[in-house]
Amino acid sequence: SSMIYMASQCTLSALFSSQSQLEYALDDATSQQEKENLVYQYLRKLDDKEDLKIPDFEEGLEWLNTEGPLSFSRELAGKVVVLDFFTYCCINCMHILPDLHQLEKRHSVKDGLIIVGVHSAKFPNEKVLQNVRGAVLRYNITHPVVNDRDARLWHELEVACWPTVVLLGPRGNLLFSLVGEGHRERLALFTSAALQHYRDQGLLRDHLVGTKLYRDSLPSSFLSFPGKVAVDSSRKRLAIADTGHHRVLVVSSTGKLLYSVGGPGSGRKDGKLQEATFCSPQGVVIKGDIVFVADTENHLIRKIDLLEEQVSTLAGVGFQGIDKDGGAMGPQQPISSPWDLALGTSGKSKAQRGGKEDNVLWVAMAGTHQVWCLFLADGKLPQGSNFQMGTCVRFAGSGNEENRNNAYPHKAGFAQPSGLAPAPEEPWCCLYVADSESSTVRSVALKDGAVKLLVGGERDPMNLFAFGDVDGKGMDAKLQHPLGVAWAPDKSLLYVADSYNHKIKVVDPKNKQCWVVAGTGEAGDVLGPGFTESSFNEPGGLCVGEGVLFIADTNNHQLKVLDLETKTVSRFPISVEDTVDSATNFSCSFKVPKLPKSALKVNMPLLTVSPGQTVNMKLVLSLPEGTKLTKEAPSFWILSAEGNEWLLESRVATGNIQDLSQPLSISTVLPAVPDVTDASPELTLSVWVYCCLTGGGSCMMKVASFIQPLQIVTTLENGPVTVTLAHAF
């Protein structure tokens, strides 16, 4: 019976009374020294009590960023451990990652600190390891993460909500717990005090724990977690938030890359297009030569001017704000996790405006659960006062996280609104909102700000768990964490990215009917044959083009095109250079993707050449029986000389592969003056070929790398030399 007693004792509630006394005392303490002494006193008291040891991690759980499973009796023994109970969709969980990052900078594993992310599921879909992997990549989490798929530890400790941080001593003993965000200072104080306390007792160990970053095991893709996509009104250009690469792309309607701004790392720099940086941008709007960007993790709204080639900040101060009213000029107004943007006109219906278009930028302010408004010209909000150009102010939402509809905009409540779509035409005259955490789509009336339900959710405004996957009318329809909405004015239909159901749905606002357009309901990357046989993986955004929908298929790292006439789904290829195959394009910025383990390496016999000579490489490839090149995926070749960069004058050549029926010819001229210190230079030609079964179905990626060693002799004559590189996959 004592065992059972101990087990029931070891929940977070065992800490509550003593920790809350400590918290009160800390609130009254005036100096840092006094605070530290209070914490040491508390730790000594805990040591005298029965040891509050927590159960170990289950066997057989998946671990990321480590060489293997961690255990309190092995790797974590003698360490102060911070357990971060999180779920990858909860924005508040993401807000504490910078706090954890700061801790890691201050105290190393050798110093005795280890942070472990414990992913505990919330939606049925979140039990999928793939999504946890995605979160680790998307939010650049480098500490160990365990997927506690049945949330066992969460239940045993009686954790109540996300995010919860639990601090443990070197025996896996409970020390503190912190619930919610905004505890950076407490967390820092508790952690450094615990490290000092146990170091003084000689209980810390300085061993390292084997890390193996998950992101290092992946090939690099052109897009990384694209969150949103927008099309300009002339429908000739698309803007893509390449969220994981911290950049914004502008591409032609055929996929030719026109501009790439920001990336590959994060930052918050304004200025020239080449120098500007973003941090996990989400919402984008493109109109003419202007792109507006929700720079989500910088908590900023940015503007890219393609004509002036400049990036500027329109709103936000660069850190997360808590103000729920706003009203300051943009650059002085703190904001919180802006997730989507939409251009619109405030205060009047289209007929009354007399042509004054787009005087505001609507903002889905996910961090404060509201819809805000940035004035691009002087204007007014419904029933509100006049605002001058540049003002950034709340439009709707109390700031409480709830699913509350109300005729008064400030009394309504949203729950992590993540997508916006204006429908300014009569009779709709509203802004549609994808309200992700309540799993609903809502409307905000443009004339008076009244907030109404369109589909999803349930009557109790406090219940954010009314999710599901059901076609139907109004509240009978069920969604799961929808992140995007797009309005099709010519059809008067609203398309919805029902993200955690991996589906695209459509709503007819006349009768509030909601039904599936595409997606199987399972996460996947299958293209057809039809809409309902196609699969997606957490699509986060979408927009309406001419007869097509463009989908940001976020966790598949792709853009997809849904052709509404032929009911087919295809990938949207992005080509860096729109060029003929045989042309050799040189680029300094191109990063050679890391070869996957499955890549085949072909070592060619030594080729004797002379300085200044032209080397023609004839590439002859044949695909596996019964397959063809995937039209939508960009097969390509790369010519590089790693370690012998002088051979290509420090450049990398690349080109597309669109046809393998003839040999591809790739040529390069060797430098006239060789590097004499390099005895055995080599050229490497890598080919990345995407092919699929002719009958449809599965697709493959085949990679081969030809290594061509050269012997440079000055006595040879100078005609071009041709070498044939052949391979059958």
Side-chain angles (χ1 to χ4, degrees):
S1 68
S2 68
M3 259 319 284
I4 293 164
Y5 170 75
M6 269 304 294
S8 65
Q9 266 292 289
C10 194
T11 64
L12 296 185
S13 53
L15 288 178
F16 284 162
S17 64
S18 48
Q19 191 180 326
S20 51
Q21 282 171 357
L22 168 68
E23 303 258 8
Y24 290 131
L26 285 172
D27 288 340
D28 296 338
T30 48
S31 72
Q32 188 61 22
Q33 190 56 54
E34 193 184 341
K35 288 181 181 173
E36 286 172 15
N37 290 340
L38 284 166
V39 180
Y40 291 137
Q41 212 175 315
Y42 167 89
L43 287 168
R44 282 195 292 276
K45 220 161 66 185
L46 271 190
D47 284 345
D48 296 340
K49 279 195 177 173
E50 275 297 300
D51 220 359
L52 299 172
K53 276 186 76 166
I54 76 162
D56 210 339
F57 297 105
E58 270 180 289
E59 298 284 305
L61 294 179
E62 302 101 352
W63 286 79
L64 296 171
N65 291 338
T66 64
E67 284 171 355
L70 304 183
S71 153
F72 292 118
S73 58
R74 296 187 315 264
E75 298 81 2
L76 303 175
K79 300 289 187 193
V80 169
V81 179
V82 173
L83 296 180
D84 170 27
F85 287 91
F86 77 107
T87 162
Y88 77 95
C89 69
C90 142
I91 192 142
N92 311 70
C93 296
M94 300 318 156
H95 285 161
I96 69 166
L97 286 172
D99 302 358
L100 298 177
H101 208 71
Q102 268 202 337
L103 272 191
E104 285 178 300
K105 276 203 177 108
R106 208 172 296 147
H107 312 283
S108 67
V109 174
K110 223 169 155 44
D111 296 336
L113 177 74
I114 291 190
I115 297 175
V116 178
V118 184
H119 188 274
S120 311
K122 173 175 168 185
F123 287 111
N125 163 43
E126 282 189 84
K127 292 190 180 169
V128 186
L129 175 67
Q130 209 39 51
N131 299 333
V132 188
R133 288 180 179 153
V136 164
L137 291 177
R138 188 182 313 185
Y139 294 103
N140 206 7
I141 299 171
T142 52
H143 53 253
V145 170
V146 60
N147 181 29
D148 189 4
R149 50 177 176 255
D150 300 316
R152 204 195 95 195
L153 199 54
W154 157 283
H155 292 304
E156 296 216 13
L157 293 181
E158 293 174 16
V159 174
C161 75
W162 295 274
T164 293
V165 171
V166 175
L167 214 73
L168 305 172
R171 300 182 292 280
N173 48 315
L174 278 179
L175 303 179
F176 308 95
S177 74
L178 294 164
V179 177
E181 49 176 314
H183 302 297
R184 176 178 289 190
E185 282 173 22
R186 286 276 146 99
L187 181 60
L189 170 69
F190 290 168
T191 309
S192 54
L195 285 165
Q196 193 57 53
H197 173 77
Y198 288 112
R199 195 176 292 125
D200 292 346
Q201 296 187 25
L203 292 173
L204 289 188
R205 294 167 44 192
D206 67 355
H207 62 276
L208 293 175
V209 170
T211 53
K212 184 163 165 278
L213 290 189
Y214 175 64
R215 62 166 186 237
D216 294 345
S217 64
L218 297 176
S220 55
S221 61
F222 193 75
L223 294 176
S224 172
F225 299 104
K228 300 280 180 192
V229 57
V231 62
D232 77 352
S233 47
S234 70
R235 299 187 170 171
K236 297 285 182 283
R237 299 204 282 192
L238 292 172
I240 303 163
D242 188 8
T243 310
H245 286 143
H246 309 290
R247 63 181 180 172
V248 175
L249 308 177
V250 177
V251 301
S252 74
S253 53
T254 57
K256 184 179 178 197
L257 182 63
L258 306 171
Y259 298 92
S260 169
V261 188
S266 62
R268 50 167 288 216
K269 206 163 139 46
D270 280 337
K272 291 199 175 73
L273 293 190
Q274 301 84 325
E275 293 161 9
T277 49
F278 303 92
C279 187
S280 300
Q282 289 281 351
V284 281
V285 171
I286 179 167
K287 185 186 182 187
D289 288 303
I290 303 294
V291 183
F292 296 103
V293 182
D295 191 4
T296 305
E297 290 189 22
N298 275 328
H299 311 286
L300 299 174
I301 295 166
R302 313 280 291 280
K303 172 180 158 183
I304 302 173
D305 187 325
L306 299 172
L307 267 188
E308 301 279 320
E309 303 199 341
Q310 287 289 320
V311 175
S312 53
T313 296
L314 298 183
V317 292
F319 54 82
Q320 188 195 343
I322 50 174
D323 180 358
K324 294 188 173 169
D325 301 310
M329 294 308 276
Q332 280 79 55
Q333 176 63 58
I335 59 176
S336 178
S337 300
W339 208 272
D340 200 15
L341 303 174
L343 273 173
T345 306
S346 166
K348 298 190 170 142
S349 75
K350 213 168 186 176
Q352 297 166 297
R353 285 200 303 268
K356 214 175 126 205
E357 283 275 321
D358 298 340
N359 66 342
V360 295
L361 196 57
W362 303 113
V363 184
M365 204 66 81
T368 52
H369 313 295
Q370 295 170 312
V371 176
W372 281 46
C373 164
L374 174 67
F375 282 88
L376 302 173
D378 294 354
K380 58 189 296 185
L381 283 175
Q383 304 165 333
S385 48
N386 290 309
F387 289 99
Q388 67 184 99
M389 173 176 166
T391 314
C392 187
V393 64
R394 166 196 35 183
F395 174 37
S398 61
N400 297 331
E401 184 174 13
E402 48 190 25
N403 175 21
R404 191 179 295 278
N405 298 300
N406 200 294
Y408 295 99
H410 291 183
K411 290 190 174 163
F414 296 96
Q416 219 173 293
S418 303
L420 296 176
E425 303 81 10
E426 298 283 356
W428 322 112
C429 302
C430 70
L431 184 63
Y432 289 112
V433 181
D435 197 35
S436 64
E437 284 279 287
S438 68
S439 294
T440 61
V441 175
R442 327 265 286 281
S443 67
V444 186
L446 293 173
K447 65 174 193 303
D448 58 10
V451 177
K452 297 193 174 87
L453 173 77
L454 183 64
V455 287
E458 64 124 296
R459 282 200 168 70
D460 173 5
M462 304 310 286
N463 180 6
L464 300 180
F465 286 82
F467 55 83
D469 185 2
V470 183
D471 290 357
K473 182 176 177 175
M475 213 174 272
D476 296 334
K478 292 287 179 269
L479 308 168
Q480 191 179 184
H481 207 85
L483 291 171
V485 276
W487 176 244
D490 46 340
K491 299 194 178 100
S492 293
L493 291 176
L494 184 75
Y495 290 95
V496 181
D498 189 3
S499 309
Y500 284 12
N501 283 325
H502 315 293
K503 286 180 175 175
I504 306 302
K505 293 183 177 173
V506 66
V507 181
D508 183 344
K510 282 190 287 300
N511 54 21
K512 296 192 168 184
Q513 285 289 345
C514 172
W515 66 95
V516 178
V517 176
T520 59
E522 293 288 313
D525 190 14
V526 177
L527 298 173
F531 272 179
T532 46
E533 295 88 12
S534 298
S535 54
F536 306 91
N537 195 340
E538 281 185 32
L542 75 176
C543 64
V544 180
E546 228 148 344
V548 299
L549 295 179
F550 294 103
I551 312 291
D553 192 2
T554 308
N555 287 8
N556 281 326
H557 313 296
Q558 293 174 1
L559 231 56
K560 298 262 176 76
V561 185
L562 271 59
D563 186 316
L564 297 170
E565 269 82 76
T566 62
K567 303 268 187 288
T568 53
V569 181
S570 60
R571 291 196 182 93
F572 181 78
I574 297 174
S575 56
V576 184
E577 297 275 1
D578 212 31
T579 50
V580 198
D581 293 337
S582 58
T584 302
N585 305 306
F586 285 102
S587 126
C588 303
S589 58
F590 191 84
K591 254 179 76 189
V592 181
K594 221 163 105 179
L595 292 177
K597 286 201 172 58
S598 62
L600 181 108
K601 291 204 166 116
V602 183
N603 289 301
M604 301 295 292
L606 189 67
L607 181 68
T608 309
V609 291
S610 59
Q613 190 169 24
T614 300
V615 178
N616 286 328
M617 280 160 277
K618 252 174 69 178
L619 187 58
V620 183
L621 297 175
S622 53
L623 295 177
E625 187 96 24
T627 67
K628 61 179 193 323
L629 276 181
T630 312
K631 271 213 309 284
E632 301 82 8
S635 296
F636 60 94
W637 55 263
I638 295 177
L639 180 63
S640 61
E642 278 183 68
N644 323 116
E645 282 78 3
W646 63 272
L647 274 175
L648 297 174
E649 286 156 353
S650 295
R651 294 178 301 181
V652 171
T654 171
N656 291 341
I657 300 176
Q658 278 142 358
D659 177 18
L660 288 177
S661 59
Q662 345 263 2
L664 272 173
S665 178
I666 298 153
S667 61
T668 181
V669 179
L670 297 174
V673 182
D675 180 338
V676 287
T677 58
D678 197 346
S680 53
E682 328 182 302
L683 288 171
T684 303
L685 183 70
S686 303
V687 288
W688 299 65
V689 175
Y690 298 89
C691 54
C692 17
L693 297 173
T694 334
S698 72
C699 296
M700 295 153 276
M701 177 181 79
K702 300 283 186 190
V703 183
S705 183
F706 297 91
I707 296 149
Q708 179 59 69
L710 303 175
Q711 185 174 22
I712 298 181
V713 183
T714 41
T715 53
L716 274 176
E717 75 263 34
N718 265 352
V721 55
T722 299
V723 48
T724 301
L725 312 175
H727 180 64
F729 285 112

